[in-house]
Amino acid sequence: MDQGQTSTDASTGAAHPCKDVSDPLSLDGTRAEQPVPDTAFGWVVVLGSALNMMFSFGIISTFGVYLQHYKLVEFPTASTSLLSWIGTLQYASTCFFGIAVGVLCERMDTRYISLFGSLMTGLGLVVASFCNSPLKLLLTQGLLYGFGASFLYITAITLPSQWFRRYRGLAASIATSGAGMGGLWLPFATDAMITRLGRAWALRITGLLVFGTCGPAALLMRLHGQPAKRDKVFDLAVLRDKRFALLFSAALFGSSGYYIPFYFMPTYSEVVLGKQGGYGANVVAMMNGAGVAGRICMGVLGDRLGSLNMLCVSTLASCLSILVLWLPFSSLSTFLAAAVIFGFFSGAIVSLIPVVTANTFGTKRLPSIISLIMIAYTISALISSPPAGAMLDKYGHGYLFTSTIIYGGVFFAASLVCQCLFRCTLSRIPWAKI
């Protein structure tokens, strides 16, 4: 531990030198179990987690390409809000079913859980390729895909933290950056397949890729140790902890704003800036590429300076990129700057929340606590993109994005407030590593 580090005693509030305040406390106020030392096989788990993230959240983050095609080509008379619900259901069902998957991860072999997820995720996309109405796509590309993706996503965000201590932030960031890595090529591949082969074959080929990649990767998704026998499905004592309430609120607001730029920036580039020829796919890929670099940088800095500190910095930068750069300007240069900055910093909402949770409550019950946070993510899916799309239709008449942009920025501002309050419950020392 670095010299000069300080922390605050849980009972007296007194500062102690050379003590890391991120050492986890259990729900009864005692020091939680210490994580296992960093191991070589942990990096193998990180690789499998990155592949799972690539074909779960990576595909979800490229829905803007499908949304653009549905709105401009296949279903031009359908409302933006209705079409946005397809992507919303992908995200919402991933989070909703993730509540139960988190519990399963404490009771079953996570390799089987991941394998089942790869089968259901690919099946959802293949079945969606035969659908020709928004309602059918809601049930297949939205709901069925999200059900399968929940098994891939929960294993990907919970397993790396269990294998690391010193490099926990870096390991979790590399794992979650798989979503951004997928975003580097999936938008281009999806756009090219839609243009040359049609939307149906784009979905089929993507589904087969999920089968062929995440299926073998499931063999790498091993839980550290044996699944423990539990008497309780959920440890509801965490609900009485004010630290969890603030972390839950921060996750709720942060995730509510996260997908609004990913879903609406591609359409904005065509409707407002007049860009054509697959430019929206370029925007999504650029944001995801910046997100890969951002998640890794925030992970490294989080291990050195504190994961919660970096989460606060990232949320502030994301908020400013929306309200200071995207909102008041309509030029291409400021739009691209907003997209890159948002992509770079916003990924911390995905990568650092599990790390902060593990640092605060320990790794022993991490999957079940993350499953409770999935409730926040589920709620956020319902109050983010659909209302934003409705605002665009009602107040923006399909081409004025002001209300939609403000809506997304306010969510990040609210998340930042909750994160700062959460930090104060752990330490009020500005330079403490948390």
Side-chain angles (χ1 to χ4, degrees), residues 290 314 317-318 320-322 325 335-346:
S314 298
S318 299
L320 294 177
S321 70
I322 295 175
L325 290 179
F335 170 76
L336 293 178
V340 171
I341 294 174
F342 178 82
F344 184 89
F345 287 102
S346 64

Side-chain angles (χ1 to χ4, degrees), residues 257-279:
Y258 179 76
Y259 275 105
I260 291 177
F262 278 99
Y263 284 175
F264 292 98
M265 275 187 165
T267 306
Y268 181 94
S269 68
E270 293 206 5
V271 174
V272 177
L273 301 178
K275 295 296 181 179
Q276 302 294 330
Y279 196 83

Side-chain angles (χ1 to χ4, degrees), residues 278-301:
Y279 196 83
N282 295 338
V283 173
V284 174
M286 184 168 46
M287 295 170 69
N288 280 298
V292 173
R295 288 172 184 174
I296 294 175
C297 287
M298 291 300 104
V300 173
L301 292 175

Side-chain angles (χ1 to χ4, degrees), residues 172-374:
S173 297
I174 292 175
T176 57
S177 68
M181 293 176 188
L184 286 175
W185 64 274
L186 278 170
F188 296 110
T190 300
D191 185 66
M193 288 187 291
I194 290 175
T195 302
R196 299 179 183 181
L197 303 175
R199 187 263 305 172
W201 273 106
L203 288 169
R204 289 168 196 157
I205 293 172
T206 306
L208 293 175
L209 282 174
V210 175
F211 285 136
T213 304
C214 294
L219 300 176
L220 310 178
M221 305 301 291
R222 197 176 80 191
L223 184 71
H224 186 271
Q226 297 297 320
K229 294 182 179 180
R230 307 287 187 188
D231 295 328
K232 298 180 180 179
V233 176
F234 292 106
D235 188 353
L236 297 182
V238 72
L239 300 180
R240 299 190 295 270
D241 192 320
K242 64 180 179 181
R243 298 172 301 164
F244 176 79
L246 290 170
L247 183 60
F248 182 94
S249 300
L252 170 63
F253 294 128
S255 57
S256 295
Y258 179 76
Y259 275 105
I260 291 177
F262 278 99
Y263 284 175
F264 292 98
M265 275 187 165
T267 306
Y268 181 94
S269 68
E270 293 206 5
V271 174
V272 177
L273 301 178
K275 295 296 181 179
Q276 302 294 330
Y279 196 83
N282 295 338
V283 173
V284 174
M286 184 168 46
M287 295 170 69
N288 280 298
V292 173
R295 288 172 184 174
I296 294 175
C297 287
M298 291 300 104
V300 173
L301 292 175
D303 287 332
R304 292 179 176 271
L305 304 177
S307 296
L308 180 56
N309 294 336
M310 291 301 100
L311 180 61
C312 292
V313 170
S314 298
T315 304
L316 174 61
S318 299
C319 181
L320 294 177
S321 70
I322 295 175
L323 297 180
V324 177
L325 290 179
W326 189 16
L327 175 62
F329 302 103
S330 58
S331 65
L332 178 61
S333 58
T334 52
F335 170 76
L336 293 178
V340 171
I341 294 174
F342 178 82
F344 184 89
F345 287 102
S346 64
I349 295 293
V350 177
S351 63
L352 292 183
I353 287 289
V355 178
V356 171
T357 304
N359 289 343
T360 305
F361 301 105
T363 60
K364 185 177 181 181
R365 298 304 305 271
L366 179 61
S368 61
I369 294 178
I370 288 292
S371 71
L372 293 174
I373 293 179
M374 288 295 104

Side-chain angles (χ1 to χ4, degrees), residues 63-73 266-267 270 278-281:
F63 177 74
V65 179
Y66 284 104
L67 178 61
Q68 179 181 324
H69 171 78
Y70 291 148
K71 181 61 180 176
L72 301 179
V73 179
T267 306
E270 293 206 5
Y279 196 83

